[in-house]
Amino acid sequence: MTATDTMLDALDHAVTEVLETMFFAEPLGMCEEPAPAEEAEFSALLSYRGVASGRLSVHIAGGAARQLAADFLGSEPDSPPDDGEVSGVVRELANMICGAVLSRLHNDAVFELSAPVPCAGSESHPALCRCFDLGDGWIRICIE
Amino acid sequence: MRLNFLIVDDSPAMRSFIRRVLELSGLEVGHCLAASDGEQALKCLENHWVDVILTDINMPGMNGEEFVRRLEAHELWSTIPVVVVSTDATEARVRQMLGLGARGYVKKPFLPEEIRSEIERVLLAANAGALNMDPAAENQNDFGHQAEQTVVEEA
């Protein structure tokens, strides 16, 4: 397995684990065509440093983001989360995915993760990316 | 016996999630205080007593590592069990935080039963230590029931 395959495998498992455990969501599979990050309605970016350093970004379509946020926050259907709350949940999602990936790749190392920040979808960086179909929309995660 | 918690995490979404999970977990939850970093958490403890502290590690301002160090250095606060709740759960980090004084560790993402189980474990160990009891005693079952028995025995 190449280093790229190893990282993508870790990313796949991390995304599935986080979505299923905390968001009660299950990726339906890879996007048929990778969605361009600049079409995301919500995006978040964080950096990590330790034995390896880099960045991870999450870009997600509006419908999917709102559903994930509602499930995470336990919102009632008649009181959906506002855009600020959705953005906060997407940042936390990025945080958890990054931690899960790093734990898989470097289990005996200490990392520092920056606080995730909102970013424009066009800020996606050249990196390894995966796009998952969530049913309500897509989510694209990039890691370098 | 209702348990009072202090949740320390810079993410409002995660603080809300943890609070909801605690309430749904079956634990008897009293007050759930919240802080966005270690500094704010220490200020909170100056005015409020809690039974358990749940803390993240990576936070702007005072991070979880420094926060646990400060708790351990305090005569009273060092007796409050701390459970780390963090995405960072590499073996090295877990060893580090437990070495600093944290009593438990829950890795994000987590299931509600995982956080309940870890909270019950650290509280049982803390109570057993305080009363010099054997934490593996046969008559221990649900934590809430055991806590009530302990209070009666002390009286």
Side-chain angles (χ1 to χ4, degrees):
Chain A
M1 214 178 192
T2 65
T4 299
D5 290 337
T6 300
M7 187 169 270
L8 286 173
D9 186 62
L11 185 58
D12 290 344
H13 280 96
V15 170
T16 302
E17 181 189 20
V18 170
L19 288 177
E20 287 182 352
T21 307
M22 305 285 270
F23 295 84
F24 317 108
E26 190 180 343
L28 300 179
M30 299 294 175
C31 301
E32 286 188 4
E33 285 187 16
E38 49 269 25
E39 289 185 10
E41 191 169 341
F42 296 92
S43 294
L45 173 71
L46 74 154
S47 59
Y48 60 89
R49 59 177 189 176
V51 295
S53 301
R55 293 181 295 175
L56 179 138
S57 60
V58 169
H59 311 274
I60 181 168
R66 291 192 175 85
Q67 187 59 55
L68 287 182
D71 291 337
F72 188 76
L73 297 172
S75 305
E76 297 294 330
D78 58 353
S79 183
D82 59 37
D83 281 3
E85 290 172 317
V86 175
S87 178
V89 171
V90 172
R91 294 198 297 276
E92 186 57 37
L93 174 63
N95 186 41
M96 285 191 281
I97 291 174
C98 190
V101 170
L102 294 176
S103 293
R104 285 180 178 274
L105 292 175
H106 305 282
N107 193 37
D108 200 29
V110 173
F111 284 94
E112 280 184 29
L113 274 60
S114 70
V117 294
C119 65
S122 57
E123 285 182 49
S124 71
H125 42 102
L128 299 175
C129 296
R130 283 287 214 227
C131 184
F132 297 89
D133 178 4
L134 297 179
D136 295 304
W138 53 267
I139 182 170
R140 179 182 167 104
I141 301 106
C142 298
I143 186 166
E144 63 175 70
Chain B
M1 182 178 81
R2 290 186 177 274
L3 298 168
N4 296 324
F5 294 89
L6 172 58
I7 300 167
V8 190
D9 197 305
D10 60 309
S11 164
M14 183 52 70
R15 293 198 301 266
S16 175
F17 181 87
I18 292 174
R19 179 181 186 136
R20 193 161 66 91
V21 163
L22 289 175
E23 289 168 351
L24 293 173
S25 70
L27 289 168
E28 291 193 52
V29 178
H31 298 294
C32 254
L33 306 174
S36 59
D37 69 4
E39 194 71 54
Q40 206 177 71
L42 292 174
K43 286 199 176 88
C44 192
L45 288 172
E46 286 172 5
N47 297 305
H48 303 279
W49 182 259
V50 297
D51 299 294
V52 182
I53 297 172
L54 304 170
T55 184
D56 192 6
I57 298 175
N58 292 298
M59 297 180 284
M62 185 186 293
N63 63 25
E65 193 182 317
E66 179 61 22
F67 175 52
V68 171
R69 278 186 220 276
R70 297 277 192 99
L71 291 174
E72 278 299 294
H74 192 280
E75 186 182 353
L76 281 179
W77 296 341
S78 59
T79 64
I80 306 173
V82 175
V83 176
V84 174
V85 184
S86 177
T87 55
D88 186 352
T90 58
E91 286 180 11
R93 181 67 92 175
V94 173
R95 278 199 303 269
Q96 179 198 43
M97 295 305 292
L98 295 180
L100 288 174
R103 315 269 183 93
Y105 211 111
V106 173
K107 173 184 165 295
K108 296 177 193 173
F110 56 86
L111 295 167
E113 48 265 37
E114 287 176 281
I115 201 167
R116 174 185 173 147
S117 174
E118 190 67 353
I119 289 169
E120 287 182 334
R121 186 187 67 75
V122 302
L123 283 170
L124 206 58
N127 274 352
L131 298 175
N132 202 25
M133 284 168 58
D134 177 2
E138 285 182 18
N139 62 348
Q140 292 178 4
N141 37 51
D142 173 74
F143 174 75
H145 183 235
Q146 176 61 26
E148 284 171 16
Q149 284 183 319
T150 301
V151 170
V152 169
E153 285 166 14
E154 278 188 295

